[in-house]
Amino acid sequence: MTSERPLLEVNGLKKHFPIFGGILGQETAKVYAVDGVSFTIDRGETLSLVGESGCGKSTVGKSILRLYPVTDGEVYLAGDRIDNLPAGRLRPLRRRVQVVFQDPFSSLNPRMKVRDILAEPLINFGIVRGGRALTERVELLMDKVQLPRDAIGRFPHEFSGGQRQRIGIARALAPGADLIICDEAVSALDVSVKAQIINLLVDLQDEFGMALLFISHDLAIVEHLTHRVAVMYLGKIVELADRRTLFAKSHHPYTRALLSAVPVPDPTAKRQRIILTGDVPSPINPPSGCRFHTRCPFVFDRCRVEEPLLRSVGEGHVSACHLDHVPGGQVVPMAG
Ligand code: SF4
């Protein structure tokens, strides 16, 4: 029944955090962290969720993982609804959806040896019981993330940042997840180590076929591993396209501004830098109309009053902007 559906379907996801204040401690405002986000991920696909810090991308990941209860919307995994699962029925979800966080040092228990860190999910999910089979499985995971087998007796602090992230990836691989959410998983690493971890993720995806939701503030990083990219701004997706289209023919002014900051490998190539002025507005009181209008270099009257909805601007390419794209890189107002 479910084989034709995408692995992950997120429909109209909202996550609002109440703010309490006053003498009675009543709700005085809301943080509209995620405000109506929809996307799908197919089996074996990588979708990158990109945007500045505070845009809600990590909250999307944590809502899918059920680390936060969702405010509204629906999330399906292989056709099964998971956003409303009672707490006692989350176990299968925990096995099928794993996460790799930004800071491996704080996400790995410093008092556990690597052997125990990797054995824990294998035992908890009943994959192996113990004994030699467990050790073999742990050693195999070490092989897969290119760490030496004899390091399983060490503690996390005895590894470098990149090696710790490899341990985090091995732990996520252990239960045979269908989807791994990488939440700024390479952001804290040096440039060369970042590239190694990204190459490792690509190789592991080729071998095991899991899907990745790759959450990052850096478009330059995702270019090398993603199939599609969704750009978020202030709680909403403003553009979504396959990688090639997004990097070559982006439509939304915000995406263009992000892309203009991506370094170009060819030193003779010129790219006009678009500098966004001002800070990202508060998600407590987002701007009317287009949420990007306070910073958009192309803003016009309609943008301040009418919210642009995501609409098709090409095959598999949607953008939430009142402007139409003109080949050659210019942007002009749409009729109507
Ligand atoms: Fe800019 Fe208007 Fe498009 Fe929003 S709708 S991105 S303000 S041009």
Side-chain angles (χ1 to χ4, degrees):
M1 147 196 160
T2 57
S3 59
E4 315 247 314
R5 294 180 71 160
L7 174 68
L8 182 77
E9 295 168 77
V10 176
N11 299 329
L13 179 70
K14 292 185 182 178
K15 179 60 195 170
H16 302 162
F17 294 96
I19 297 175
F20 298 98
I23 297 170
L24 299 175
Q26 70 271 43
E27 185 180 320
T28 53
K30 280 191 174 76
V31 178
Y32 296 91
V34 177
D35 209 14
V37 160
S38 301
F39 60 86
T40 60
I41 305 181
D42 284 330
R43 288 180 187 279
E45 185 189 29
T46 299
L47 177 79
S48 294
L49 205 50
V50 176
E52 287 164 289
S53 152
C55 72
K57 56 193 187 304
S58 288
T59 305
V60 170
K62 288 178 178 146
S63 300
I64 294 166
L65 287 160
R66 291 290 307 274
L67 299 179
Y68 296 144
V70 308
T71 304
D72 199 7
E74 297 168 355
V75 182
Y76 294 88
L77 185 70
D80 299 325
R81 192 162 173 192
I82 57 171
D83 58 278
N84 60 358
L85 280 177
R89 290 184 48 210
L90 288 176
R91 199 174 163 78
L93 173 68
R94 299 274 175 258
R95 176 169 180 175
R96 298 177 71 186
V97 183
Q98 287 283 307
V99 62
V100 180
F101 287 113
Q102 174 175 359
D103 180 2
F105 202 57
S106 62
S107 63
L108 300 175
N109 187 332
R111 285 189 285 274
M112 286 171 76
K113 291 181 176 174
V114 172
R115 176 194 297 110
D116 301 321
I117 289 171
L118 299 183
E120 194 174 50
L122 295 169
I123 294 169
N124 283 351
F125 293 116
I127 295 163
V128 279
R129 290 224 175 109
R132 186 65 213 152
L134 179 62
T135 304
E136 281 173 5
R137 200 67 179 243
V138 167
E139 288 175 347
L140 191 64
L141 285 166
M142 294 293 275
D143 294 347
K144 295 299 173 194
V145 297
Q146 295 157 17
L147 286 174
R149 288 183 170 204
D150 59 11
I152 60 173
R154 292 198 229 149
F155 290 95
H157 73 266
E158 296 177 75
F159 294 86
S160 68
Q163 288 173 325
R164 282 199 288 268
Q165 204 55 302
R166 287 174 191 268
I167 298 166
I169 292 168
R171 185 179 56 181
L173 280 178
D178 297 321
L179 171 67
I180 297 181
I181 298 178
C182 300
D183 188 357
E184 299 281 9
V186 298
S187 302
L189 305 175
D190 293 343
V191 175
S192 63
V193 183
K194 266 185 189 140
Q196 291 167 13
I197 297 292
I198 284 174
N199 289 339
L200 175 68
L201 285 168
V202 171
D203 290 346
L204 292 172
Q205 188 178 48
D206 280 349
E207 184 173 353
F208 295 106
M210 73 283 190
L212 299 175
L213 174 59
F214 196 86
I215 296 169
S216 175
H217 66 279
D218 189 346
L219 259 176
I221 285 175
V222 309
E223 185 174 7
H224 303 290
L225 93 161
T226 202
H227 298 110
R228 290 186 298 142
V229 185
V231 179
M232 271 189 85
Y233 186 79
L234 214 53
K236 290 183 179 281
I237 289 178
V238 296
E239 184 161 13
L240 194 155
D242 65 78
R243 174 189 55 185
R244 196 180 292 267
T245 302
L246 194 106
F247 280 86
K249 292 191 281 184
S250 64
H251 175 271
H252 199 282
Y254 179 60
T255 310
R256 290 188 175 197
L258 293 181
L259 279 171
S260 78
V262 172
V264 186
D266 178 357
T268 62
K270 287 204 171 72
R271 178 180 276 166
Q272 190 188 355
R273 181 84 199 264
I274 302 169
I275 308 284
L276 293 178
T277 53
D279 294 327
V280 180
S282 167
I284 297 173
N285 188 18
S288 61
C290 174
R291 292 186 175 194
F292 186 53
H293 87 247
T294 55
R295 300 171 79 201
C296 180
F298 305 105
V299 61
F300 58 108
D301 289 348
R302 184 178 168 196
C303 309
R304 297 186 181 89
V305 291
E306 186 184 331
E307 180 179 350
L309 301 178
L310 277 174
R311 64 187 172 87
S312 174
V313 292
E315 199 182 332
H317 184 186
V318 291
S319 173
C321 175
H322 293 312
L323 298 173
D324 205 359
H325 178 255
V326 173
Q330 289 186 354
V331 177
V332 297
M334 282 178 77

